[in-house]
Amino acid sequence: MDQVIEIPWESIEPETLTNILAEYVTRDGTDYGEQEVPTDTKVSQVRKLLAKGACVLIFQPEDQSLTLIDTQVWKQMQRGFQV
């Protein structure tokens, strides 16, 4: 398995980051509420989570995908990758 890579979200152009976050929040299985929440609102919420350090953006070379993961889970994964 290839190494998973953390991507510093601050290094991504704002428009590109918005597009990445919009794709993430509109993926199948990401809408769990009874009320419809606008995509822009979801993107803003996720951007705030990134800014607070609550989650990180990761790249998975194996399938060439980007995703978001809870920071604590990411730290545990990193410890698991170390030999």
Side-chain angles (χ1 to χ4, degrees):
M1 181 171 116
D2 290 327
Q3 189 78 5
V4 178
I5 304 162
E6 181 177 355
I7 305 296
W9 66 270
E10 305 93 336
S11 68
I12 301 172
E13 292 291 328
E15 184 177 349
T16 302
L17 181 61
T18 297
N19 291 337
I20 290 168
L21 298 180
E23 189 277 328
Y24 176 78
V25 301
T26 58
R27 288 181 186 170
D28 287 340
T30 58
D31 192 19
Y32 298 104
E34 290 182 24
Q35 265 185 302
E36 184 67 28
V37 177
T39 299
D40 290 346
T41 301
K42 292 178 187 178
V43 168
S44 177
Q45 291 169 340
V46 174
R47 191 183 300 269
K48 287 176 185 174
L49 290 172
L50 283 168
K52 286 187 348 184
C55 63
V56 294
L57 182 64
I58 61 168
F59 176 70
Q60 298 170 326
E62 192 171 282
D63 61 2
Q64 299 288 300
S65 68
L66 287 169
T67 197
L68 290 146
I69 190 168
D70 178 271
T71 301
Q72 295 305 316
V73 172
W74 173 240
K75 287 178 182 178
Q76 290 173 350
M77 287 175 63
Q78 287 179 302
R79 285 193 292 271
F81 287 142
Q82 295 173 355
V83 179

